[in-house]
Amino acid sequence: MNALERVKIRFGRAFDFLPSIYRLTNDERLTKHFLELTPGYRPVGELAEWVRTTKKKLPETILEKMSLYFDWKAPLGMRISPVMSEESFESVQALLQKIALVSPKDMIKDFLLIGLGPRSVGYDEGVVDKILDDQKEALVFLAEKAVLTPQQKAVMLDFISDPEKMKDDYLHLLQWYEEHVYSTSPYDEKKLKESQEYLQRNLSTHGNGYLLKLTDNLHYEELDEDRKILLVLSYFIENAQGGIFHPRSESDVFIVGFNFVSSVLDRDSVSIASRRYGALSNPNRIRLLNALFGKRLTGYELSRSMKLSNAELTEAFSALVACGLVKTFRLNDRIIFTADRDEVIEMLTCVLDAPS
């Protein structure tokens, strides 16, 4: 079965619930990311106004909880997103009921994946049982394995010490947000339907090449026949996309902004080259590219070797992957990254050699 035959497309308020919290929490950084991916982007319109006014009204305690669970450096709350791959939720309440059924132990497992990368060395189901039963084991595990900042490790240790409290705290945030914010938030279903139709046409017309642009250039070398690629169209993550990989999920989930489905096609060779050179303006990205030449490494292995947190690595990766300078492969249950020096040099120089 080829990748296109694995694709499922979904959208709706329930599927945009968690992305909306992520947008509110990280609006400034996301705006910069939108601009990097889509030159000329400006935050205007009903959605931008909602973000601006809503953040001013939120209680300080809620802002703190949103930052704790949805900050881009460690968006723990987004790790629950794979439950979206299991059902077609008709309402946000149905989603919340599903999340409420996740055990505190499984929630800890989900949150740990943020600090260990999507396919981690040394991560298995037995590890969680061991660290939940022994605080010293948890401390050693986080110190030696997790690619998190010291502050994030402290938060995770606090969660491990009392998983029930952590789950209650997280659910309270989601329920409060649904009742006081999300129920009256903007949501342009017409734009989402148009985006879905455009997405389906583009998949039929442009095939695998287009799908790769929507999924972080992720190539599937080996994949269980039953595993799907779920494209969740988002109103709130309007001009970007992001993948969420989970060993217990039946699908690889990609949250795709409703504008992103068209913007990935609107690029000529000069603008593509400009973005590639711009992607190399960050020292960490150059270090990362050099580290990948001729090698095939997991994100976890890169984080450890480069001494970068998972968030720092993701930030460095995003532009390189979007420009095609770094290739990603799904191999069984792991995500592999690689780069070819000669291909990268050709990508960067071909536009300079082309006739004007």
Side-chain angles (χ1 to χ4, degrees):
M1 183 187 296
N2 66 41
L4 288 172
E5 293 174 330
R6 302 176 187 276
V7 173
K8 297 185 293 183
I9 303 170
R10 290 180 180 164
F11 72 89
R13 271 195 169 270
F15 293 102
D16 238 344
F17 179 68
L18 297 178
S20 75
I21 308 177
Y22 185 78
R23 173 65 184 270
L24 270 179
T25 308
N26 305 285
D27 181 62
E28 185 175 342
R29 181 182 181 273
L30 276 172
T31 298
K32 292 179 180 177
H33 187 48
F34 295 160
L35 182 59
E36 187 174 40
L37 293 175
T38 311
Y41 168 81
R42 288 193 308 121
V44 295
E46 182 183 39
L47 183 53
E49 180 64 16
W50 172 77
V51 171
R52 187 183 67 81
T53 57
T54 301
K55 291 194 74 170
K56 291 182 178 180
K57 297 177 183 177
L58 290 175
E60 192 64 34
T61 53
I62 294 298
L63 285 170
E64 289 175 0
K65 295 301 180 186
M66 286 169 57
S67 179
L68 178 63
Y69 289 100
F70 288 91
D71 184 81
W72 72 271
K73 294 177 183 176
L76 307 175
M78 294 298 287
R79 274 292 152 196
I80 301 299
S81 291
V83 302
M84 296 187 300
S85 71
E86 299 167 12
E87 297 180 24
S88 297
F89 294 102
E90 298 299 323
S91 69
V92 175
Q93 285 304 319
L95 173 65
L96 293 177
Q97 290 169 9
K98 182 72 175 183
I99 293 175
L101 293 176
V102 179
S103 71
K105 181 187 292 186
D106 282 343
M107 201 167 280
I108 287 291
K109 292 176 183 178
D110 295 339
F111 288 176
L112 274 174
L113 289 172
I114 283 289
L116 299 176
R119 298 292 178 265
S120 308
V121 177
Y123 178 85
D124 59 58
E125 298 292 318
V127 167
V128 178
D129 292 324
K130 184 183 298 185
I131 65 177
L132 286 175
D133 291 338
D134 189 329
Q135 195 80 348
K136 183 178 179 181
E137 285 280 354
L139 185 61
V140 171
F141 178 80
L142 290 171
E144 294 182 352
K145 294 290 186 182
V147 283
L148 295 167
T149 66
Q151 181 182 2
Q152 292 159 359
K153 288 180 180 180
V155 168
M156 190 61 68
L157 186 63
D158 190 43
F159 286 169
I160 291 170
S161 67
D162 196 342
E164 292 280 356
K165 179 179 181 300
M166 174 272 300
K167 178 184 174 180
D168 290 345
D169 196 41
Y170 177 58
L171 284 176
H172 172 74
L173 169 64
L174 300 187
Q175 290 161 351
W176 186 97
Y177 178 80
E178 158 60 9
E179 179 181 351
H180 294 90
V181 178
Y182 195 61
S183 58
T184 58
S185 68
Y187 190 75
D188 195 328
E189 190 163 330
K190 181 181 177 182
K191 286 185 178 178
L192 270 296
K193 287 181 178 178
E194 291 172 352
S195 182
Q196 180 189 34
E197 293 170 0
Y198 194 81
L199 172 57
Q200 289 171 329
R201 285 200 304 271
N202 286 342
L203 286 171
S204 297
T205 303
H206 302 285
N208 252 352
Y210 176 70
L211 179 61
L212 284 172
K213 293 178 180 180
L214 294 177
T215 57
D216 267 346
N217 288 305
L218 185 62
H219 298 72
Y220 285 81
E221 290 193 340
E222 296 180 20
L223 188 62
D224 187 305
E225 286 292 321
D226 294 329
R227 196 168 184 85
K228 304 298 182 183
I229 302 168
L230 178 61
L231 303 179
V232 177
L233 289 172
S234 171
Y235 182 61
F236 295 92
I237 311 298
E238 51 186 316
N239 277 67
Q241 60 80 249
I244 302 173
F245 309 103
H246 198 293
R248 290 186 289 109
S249 170
E250 66 180 28
S251 304
D252 287 342
V253 180
F254 294 88
I255 299 175
V256 182
F258 73 94
N259 276 330
F260 193 74
V261 299
S262 57
S263 67
V264 293
L265 291 177
D266 300 333
R267 291 169 185 161
D268 57 33
S269 60
V270 174
S271 62
I272 291 173
S274 175
R275 291 177 62 248
R276 284 172 176 160
Y277 280 107
L280 296 176
S281 62
N282 182 301
N284 276 341
R285 291 174 185 168
I286 295 176
R287 289 176 55 215
L288 180 60
L289 202 56
N290 279 325
L292 282 173
F293 283 144
K295 297 179 182 177
R296 296 167 63 89
L297 302 172
T298 66
Y300 180 78
E301 291 166 339
L302 278 166
S303 292
R304 300 288 288 184
S305 65
M306 296 183 64
K307 296 180 172 55
L308 293 175
S309 70
N310 199 37
E312 290 171 324
L313 186 70
T314 300
E315 185 174 41
F317 254 133
S318 59
L320 294 174
V321 171
C323 293
L325 297 175
V326 167
K327 293 181 180 179
T328 57
F329 294 86
R330 198 186 201 296
L331 181 61
N332 292 324
D333 65 343
R334 302 204 306 167
I335 307 299
I336 305 293
F337 300 92
T338 188
D340 183 281
R341 184 187 298 272
D342 292 338
E343 285 185 9
V344 168
I345 291 173
E346 183 177 354
M347 287 179 188
L348 294 171
T349 58
C350 65
V351 73
L352 299 177
D353 295 333
S356 59

